[in-house]
Amino acid sequence: MAFINENYTKLPGSYLFSDIAKKVNEFKAAHPEANVIRLGIGDVTKPLPSAIINAMHAAVDEMADASTFRGYGPEQGYDFLVNTIVENDYKARGLDISADEIFVSDGSKSDTGNIGDILGLDNIVAVTDPVYPVYVDTNVMSGRAGELQANGKWNKLVYIPCTSENDFVPSLPTEKVDIVYLCYPNNPTGTTLTKDQLKVWVDYALQNKVLILFDGAYKEFITESDVPHSIYEIEGAREVAIEFRSFSKTAGFTGTRCAYTVVPKTVMGYTKTGEKVSYNKLWNRRHTTKFNGVPYIIQRAAEACFSAEGKKQIKDIIDYYMNNAKIIREGLTSEGLQVYGGVNSPYIWVKTPKGMTSWGFFDYLLNDLHVVGTPGVGFGPSGEGYLRLTAFGTLENTKEAVSRLKKISI
Ligand code: PLP
């Protein structure tokens, strides 16, 4: 008889986005004439730019010729991509990251989930609240989260509230913590930490031997100069932080799939007997055992993101989304709503008016204004009383949605 991993049975059955889809579908069935605008999606809508498409086409042709055909490649990524990442994303910014510290993968969702494979099950894990749900759910699956309580929290996780009350700056935990997930610019709140604010966390991690798992999926949306693009801009971070980066939101790769994780050789974990072990060694072992590399064609596409033409085209797309963010932010602010994020991130975090719940505000927007957002409470208990809007729609839909949102009577 084979037994299941019972931790999986603890995960709540329905998922936030399927609940939303169900409500929207029901509404559309009842009101087929309504023009429903979705500002809830976390997916990009613009197609891949030509520099990337051309690189993919060229790579496809290489696959058709015996002299240039590629089979299995290095699990960690081809040198041409790894070296391009090191040069452009790190060396050009004066950051000391070497090629054997980069692991190319099929996504940061996989990497932020799979990183748990190399972490002991007794570690105490902290998450900011609200949070990208993958960090929590993958710790539930491995057994580090414990049991779900009536207040929506898992009893073994440490939740660090990030709300308008603390300006979305997480306070250092007062209890013992071994691992902390930080995501900046943040999904879902769209807020960021300055270099000084992130330094507080790096110093804390150095003093307390805490491992920081830093998710930088939205770094390309940063517009302000005091916001770090990489945690390694903070002195000492090479000793305590693993960084996750993705081409998904940066370059429209949500359906193309490419990301990378940086595991500096200087980040150490400990055995039960106190012996130091490099996470780089462990992640290399895990990655080469369980993963066979990102397709050659996709790695050539990722490489093209760093060409002069690729950079320019990607920037134009990001500027387009950030213009949407500005329209949402300014439009809602002018109506007296409290709005956060949207300056260094494609996410806008709206405080619900009149003390409505997240779902109450969601229902109101859907039923009365035909606009879809994402209820903040779906991202954690501290998300209650907020709703997330995204800048990934078209300009036309964004403008139309904002003009409808201006009809909110608050
Ligand atoms: N990390 C964060 C914070 C995200 O919001 C997302 C996607 O929404 C991801 C990671 C997933 O990235 P990928 O598409 O590379 O798996």
Side-chain angles (χ1 to χ4, degrees):
M1 188 163 50
F3 298 100
I4 63 161
N5 175 349
E6 291 197 22
N7 294 317
Y8 279 66
T9 65
K10 298 179 186 172
L11 286 163
S14 65
Y15 184 57
L16 174 64
F17 290 97
S18 46
D19 289 348
I20 294 171
K22 193 165 164 268
K23 282 195 178 232
V24 173
N25 290 340
E26 280 169 8
F27 177 80
K28 279 176 135 178
H31 306 89
E33 74 298 341
N35 169 21
V36 176
I37 298 181
R38 292 170 188 267
L39 286 192
I41 44 160
D43 198 355
V44 296
T45 49
K46 288 241 158 231
L48 293 172
S50 62
I52 293 169
I53 290 295
N54 292 341
M56 285 172 92
H57 278 301
V60 168
D61 289 341
E62 284 185 64
M63 296 299 270
D65 185 325
S67 68
T68 48
F69 167 78
R70 315 279 177 129
Y72 291 125
E75 292 94 341
Q76 302 90 338
Y78 283 103
D79 284 350
F80 65 78
L81 177 57
V82 170
N83 291 333
T84 302
I85 290 169
V86 169
E87 284 307 318
N88 286 270
D89 274 355
Y90 293 100
K91 291 251 154 73
R93 295 185 153 266
L95 304 178
D96 173 26
I97 294 295
S98 58
D100 55 1
E101 296 176 324
I102 304 274
F103 297 86
V104 174
S105 77
D106 66 344
S108 288
K109 186 181 201 175
S110 335
D111 286 353
T112 54
N114 289 329
I115 196 75
D117 279 13
I118 63 166
L119 304 171
L121 292 181
D122 296 334
N123 284 307
I124 298 168
V125 174
V127 293
T128 54
D129 175 24
V131 64
Y132 176 53
V134 173
Y135 314 152
V136 171
D137 289 359
T138 53
N139 277 293
V140 174
M141 291 170 178
S142 63
R144 277 186 216 96
E147 305 297 328
L148 185 59
Q149 306 166 113
N151 63 6
K153 296 182 181 180
W154 295 86
N155 68 338
K156 284 196 189 166
L157 294 184
V158 173
Y159 288 77
I160 308 168
C162 293
T163 62
S164 60
E165 278 78 40
N166 61 5
D167 219 5
F168 302 93
V169 179
S171 309
L172 296 176
T174 45
E175 56 273 80
K176 180 184 144 35
V177 158
D178 303 301
I179 297 167
V180 61
Y181 291 80
L182 295 178
C183 171
Y184 290 100
N186 189 261
N187 178 14
T189 66
T191 59
T192 50
L193 295 185
T194 63
K195 280 185 189 148
D196 288 346
Q197 288 165 340
L198 187 56
K199 184 177 182 312
V200 170
W201 280 91
V202 171
D203 290 348
Y204 159 80
L206 284 163
Q207 277 156 21
N208 297 281
K209 295 195 168 72
V210 169
L211 175 67
I212 298 178
L213 301 174
F214 188 80
D215 188 341
Y218 298 94
K219 58 118 182 158
E220 215 62 42
F221 295 83
I222 294 171
T223 59
E224 293 179 317
S225 61
D226 60 345
V227 178
H229 286 235
S230 164
I231 193 166
Y232 305 118
E233 288 175 39
I234 314 297
E235 203 185 331
R238 265 193 65 88
E239 318 300 317
V240 291
I242 292 176
E243 178 163 276
F244 304 90
R245 292 258 179 109
S246 171
F247 293 91
S248 283
K249 306 298 161 71
T250 302
F253 273 49
T254 50
T256 305
R257 312 304 307 147
C258 196
Y260 66 90
T261 289
V262 186
V263 190
K265 283 171 282 187
T266 38
V267 186
M268 296 290 170
Y270 298 86
T271 63
K272 286 257 162 73
T273 52
E275 198 188 322
K276 277 189 184 180
V277 181
S278 155
Y279 282 120
N280 178 285
K281 229 168 122 180
L282 299 186
W283 186 247
N284 191 49
R285 191 69 171 91
R286 189 241 168 242
H287 199 69
T288 52
T289 302
K290 289 194 175 182
F291 187 65
N292 242 341
V294 172
Y296 173 71
I297 298 162
I298 305 301
Q299 293 196 52
R300 282 295 184 198
E303 180 194 29
C305 298
F306 298 97
S307 70
E309 201 193 0
K311 278 182 186 164
K312 159 92 182 58
Q313 293 174 348
I314 287 171
K315 185 175 179 307
D316 288 347
I317 294 176
I318 291 199
D319 287 350
Y320 177 93
Y321 292 137
M322 290 310 283
N323 182 47
N324 287 346
K326 188 166 181 270
I327 290 169
I328 299 172
R329 202 163 39 83
E330 291 180 354
L332 271 55
T333 305
S334 71
E335 289 309 299
L337 283 163
Q338 276 179 290
V339 172
Y340 307 92
V343 176
N344 297 296
S345 144
Y347 296 122
I348 296 98
W349 194 238
V350 187
K351 202 162 174 61
T352 62
K354 294 182 185 163
M356 278 186 198
T357 63
S358 293
W359 278 109
F361 193 41
F362 170 91
D363 288 337
Y364 165 71
L365 293 185
L366 175 62
N367 295 321
D368 289 32
L369 306 180
H370 310 165
V371 172
V372 182
T374 309
V377 69
F379 297 98
S382 293
E384 181 55 284
Y386 295 89
L387 181 116
R388 192 190 74 174
L389 297 176
T390 81
F392 289 126
T394 63
L395 176 61
E396 298 69 35
N397 277 351
T398 302
K399 282 184 174 163
E400 168 60 21
V402 169
S403 75
R404 292 187 200 169
L405 287 161
K406 281 175 176 277
K407 294 184 195 134
I408 295 176
S409 44
I410 52 172

